[in-house]
Amino acid sequence: MAEGMTGLVHKYLRHDKKFPHIWCPGCGNGIVLGSLIRAIDRLGLDKNKVALVSGIGCSGRMTTYADFNTLHTTHGRALTFATGLKLSREELTVIVIMGDGDATAIGGNHYIHTARRNVDMTAIIVNNQVYGMTGGQYSPTTPYGARTTTTPYGMVEHAFDISALAVAADASYVARCTVYHAALLDQLIEAGIRKKGFSSVEVLSNCHTQFGRRNKMASPVKMLEWFKENAVRMQAASKMKPEERAGKFIIGVLADSERPSYNEEYERARERARGIRNEPKPPARCEG
Amino acid sequence: MSGRSKEGKILLLQGNEALAEGALAAGCRFFAGYPITPASEIAEHMALKLPALGGTFIQMEDEIASMGAVIGASLAGVKAMTATSGPGFSLMQENIGYACMAETPCVVVNVMRGGPSTGLPTLASQGDVMQARWGTHGDHPVIVLAVSCVRDCFELTVFAFNLAEKYRVPVIILSDEVVAHTRETFVPPPPGEIEVVDRLKPAVPPEWYRPYEDTGTGVPPMAAFGDGYRHHVTGLTHDERGFPTQRSDEIDALMRRLFRKITQGFHEIQRVESYRMEDAEVAVIAYGSVARSARRAVLEARERGVKAGLLQLITLFPFPRRCVEKVLKQCRAVLVPEMNIGQISREVKRVHRGSSRVETLNRVDGRLITPREISDCLIKMYY
């Protein structure tokens, strides 16, 4: 495993260009990046045909280190850049890395609409429940009651469920995982990339520096234990009562369906514009 | 559009349609936008025409997203454009700055309407001139063109794409409600006669490619994503390889190159049009729809014995200083009529060193300045 991973590091990271990285020791971003390159390797994708797009924040720096076509965009807007990219160059496998603030606060609208359009790309949301890079302010996913630098008396707002948002917006594939469950994460990212249409993979990640220290989990180990103890597989969760689910992280595949991607739909529109008769297909899946 | 676009056929187009046709003629194959008066017809025309050409139109969730998608498309190697009006233009500023920093060619159209805020959606204004210049944060050069008629809308959009591609910058086209919705006859040039410039691509193998290298022109060749170069693009201040830097020498070199590449191109970027300036003693400096009123006003004034002329600014920024200075030297008085309280007039005054007078004529009631208003001023200034 160790040797195999070294091989992958040399194959997929800009190890001779852009290291050391800026992340804190023990940061969950490394685990996510590891899972991502393992998934890409297993899929056997051509590096020249992979575009890795990111927003702003600690997770956003992932694009600097990975040896693909990499695009580090503005805060919250990664999905919009990725949309332009995918619609103009369909052969690219587009993977978007965002943080929780990126995807649900400043970029929440883009997240909803990219999912609704079903643009063929995979969004990986590194949810560390805090704004780490700017000094530990609360984000839309900070748990109720948690202490951050802008909730010194406890979080009074209620958290966003990122994956539920993607399910509601009809994304083709929605999954959640934690950095503790790295082997599962490999599989979920791989399945997400394989999926035609919009895939959302939310990963609960540890920011012990900014979140853990203020919430009695000052080390990466403590935070990973928190994920381990509170993670519940999708199948088990479906048998639980709503009050039992409170504070738990439901992991696994939350939604998986078939729907034509935006590119496919638009290609049909191009044909109609050229006079080829093909009436719009009814939606592949029904409401409810 | 009424009438078919066969070669040599006369078309009756509104400014917005001509602008979209200009974009298509320039090779634009991606448009992302959000509906807004008075710019929506540009999006509608692109939505109609792009699919059959193999291009892509997408209506995004807002103008921030539209600008993001345009940059994404451009990085994929496709010529891209968006169009909006004042409120949407404000939202685009963030990513326009990104396009400046990451040197991503694209064209942004702002069909100006009255402001601030929601303002006057259906009435004309020239209130966004300085927003076009300084709208995004940070020190940056910018190219801004102003259209005044249907022909301009077509030709200057082609010019805008050519500049964007050549200099790797976002180019802003300022139109206004009057130009956008006025219908005029127009004969489009045959496609073969339109000069179209494409971005320079790298000629070196990927391992030698430095995506932000300083070249003689200051404009580095641009690889598209998927071409095998696997480079990094960021809005962070970066080194020649495109990676973030905090080294002062690299920061300074990047910032100065961004300015230098535009400065070196002044001769072709800065366009003006002189009308009856040969013997003029008083002159109008105008742009956009007001320039058309001014042209008529010059004729009216000349009928009354006034030696009047017009300098029409086509390029607003980089400000065509030399051309304006020449007029200021030649004439004893210069009038700058604008549909704002004075934005370009401040630029004219800034470069003014001589003894001539600089007068302003401002309308901010949503109505076009009439030829009569301008000619009256010219007559007063002359006698």
Side-chain angles (χ1 to χ4, degrees), chain A:
Chain A
M1 174 74 190
E3 217 182 304
M5 201 58 214
T6 309
L8 290 186
V9 163
H10 282 264
K11 188 169 173 192
Y12 292 105
L13 299 189
R14 289 168 172 151
H15 56 94
D16 57 339
K17 287 185 184 160
K18 260 344 253 190
F19 284 89
H21 60 70
I22 62 156
W23 298 324
C24 303
C27 177
N29 277 328
I31 300 175
V32 179
L33 182 55
S35 272
L36 176 64
I37 61 175
R38 284 191 295 272
I40 287 173
D41 192 61
R42 274 216 293 269
L43 288 163
L45 299 176
D46 175 1
K47 287 201 287 184
N48 289 326
K49 299 295 174 196
V50 174
L52 191 63
V53 185
S54 67
I56 296 292
C58 296
S59 63
R61 290 301 182 103
M62 222 174 270
T63 45
T64 319
Y65 310 131
D67 189 20
F68 304 109
N69 301 282
T70 53
L71 175 58
H72 181 222
T73 69
T74 43
H75 191 29
R77 320 297 177 207
L79 289 170
T80 70
F81 286 63
T83 298
L85 207 53
K86 183 67 187 178
L87 300 191
S88 302
R89 198 121 183 182
E90 200 183 348
E91 80 264 25
L92 291 174
T93 298
V94 179
I95 300 161
V96 186
I97 310 280
M98 290 175 288
D100 43 303
D102 232 359
T104 61
I106 190 164
N109 201 22
H110 310 312
Y111 183 62
I112 296 167
H113 288 281
T114 314
R116 176 182 63 79
R117 289 188 189 108
N118 210 30
V119 184
D120 184 17
M121 60 175 75
T122 305
I124 299 173
I125 297 136
V126 184
N127 178 7
N128 61 7
Q129 305 169 307
V130 77
Y131 286 88
M133 192 172 252
T134 47
Q137 296 83 11
Y138 75 90
S139 87
T141 59
T142 301
Y144 182 77
R147 295 287 200 278
T148 70
T149 52
T150 46
T151 54
Y153 310 109
M155 174 73 168
V156 297
E157 300 174 18
H158 292 274
F160 235 139
D161 183 336
I162 298 176
S163 293
L165 196 62
V167 173
D170 219 5
S172 282
Y173 180 86
V174 184
R176 189 193 284 118
C177 197
T178 85
V179 287
Y180 176 79
H181 305 83
L184 174 65
L185 183 57
D186 291 10
Q187 294 168 21
L188 295 176
I189 292 176
E190 188 185 334
I193 295 171
R194 214 182 271 282
K195 190 80 192 175
K196 270 268 173 210
F198 186 78
S199 310
S200 170
V201 181
E202 175 189 355
V203 193
L204 282 141
S205 181
N206 56 304
C207 182
H208 44 279
T209 310
Q210 299 291 10
F211 183 82
R213 277 193 303 154
R214 298 186 176 89
N215 293 283
K216 298 178 183 147
M217 294 179 284
S219 75
V221 175
K222 283 217 168 118
M223 290 209 71
L224 290 180
E225 279 172 351
W226 179 46
F227 295 142
K228 179 187 171 188
E229 282 155 20
N230 290 289
V232 180
R233 292 280 181 149
M234 183 61 186
Q235 282 154 320
S238 60
K239 289 169 196 151
M240 288 162 75
K241 289 178 192 146
E243 56 269 27
E244 288 175 325
R245 290 197 211 176
K248 300 286 180 201
F249 311 118
I250 298 163
I251 60 170
V253 180
L254 310 181
D256 189 355
S257 64
E258 298 299 327
R259 190 156 68 97
S261 72
Y262 188 95
N263 279 80
E264 289 166 338
E265 290 284 12
Y266 200 79
E267 193 48 48
R268 291 168 60 78
R270 284 193 188 113
E271 286 174 1
R272 288 195 288 278
R274 291 184 186 120
I276 299 166
R277 287 188 61 177
N278 69 37
E279 291 320 302
K281 274 187 198 161
R285 48 192 297 237
C286 301
E287 289 298 315

